[in-house]
Amino acid sequence: QVQLVESGGGLVQAGGSLRLSCAASGSIFSINAMGWYRQAPGKQRELVAVITSGGSTDYADSLKGRFTISRDNAKNTVYLQMNSLKPEDTAVYYCNAPEVLARGGERYLGVWGQGTLVTVSS
């Protein structure tokens, strides 16, 4: 069995920083891409950032320069460093892995974490 668990969310003032973590657990052989999404109340879930096992990254247009995604392949963990936070960044942040290959040969598609809430006060 494979699961993703996010951590690091909380309440922060505008201009502050947070670092989110997402750890994949289980008998994992490989994970190609991992990413972060977010969803604010009443809005669609949107892509924040994606990183491949090789270190290639992509970001939402409005977040470039403020957010940084990174990854520790040995720990199967992805991070999101969020700086200069704004009230509009308030959302539930979800970790995602499109495809996870387990050591037993199982393939898990579209694996999501439960989410971690980030609240930015003005």
Side-chain angles (χ1 to χ4, degrees), residues 45-84:
R45 187 173 298 187
E46 64 177 349
L47 175 68
V48 174
V50 174
I51 186 168
T52 69
S53 60
S56 179
T57 60
D58 196 15
Y59 297 88
D61 297 338
S62 62
L63 303 179
K64 293 179 180 178
R66 294 196 299 120
F67 288 15
T68 302
I69 189 170
S70 61
R71 178 172 176 170
D72 186 335
N73 290 334
K75 296 181 179 180
N76 288 315
T77 300
V78 63
Y79 306 93
L80 184 69
Q81 179 67 46
M82 305 185 293
N83 298 325
S84 301

Side-chain angles (χ1 to χ4, degrees), residues 2-6 21-25 28 30-37 47-58 69-80 94-100 111-113:
V2 174
Q3 64 180 52
L4 304 177
V5 179
E6 304 96 334
S21 299
C22 171
S25 63
I28 297 170
S30 66
I31 306 175
N32 186 10
M34 299 183 75
W36 289 95
Y37 291 72
L47 175 68
V48 174
V50 174
I51 186 168
T52 69
S53 60
S56 179
T57 60
D58 196 15
I69 189 170
S70 61
R71 178 172 176 170
D72 186 335
N73 290 334
K75 296 181 179 180
N76 288 315
T77 300
V78 63
Y79 306 93
L80 184 69
Y94 296 92
C95 181
N96 172 257
E99 184 173 7
V100 180
V111 183
W112 291 89

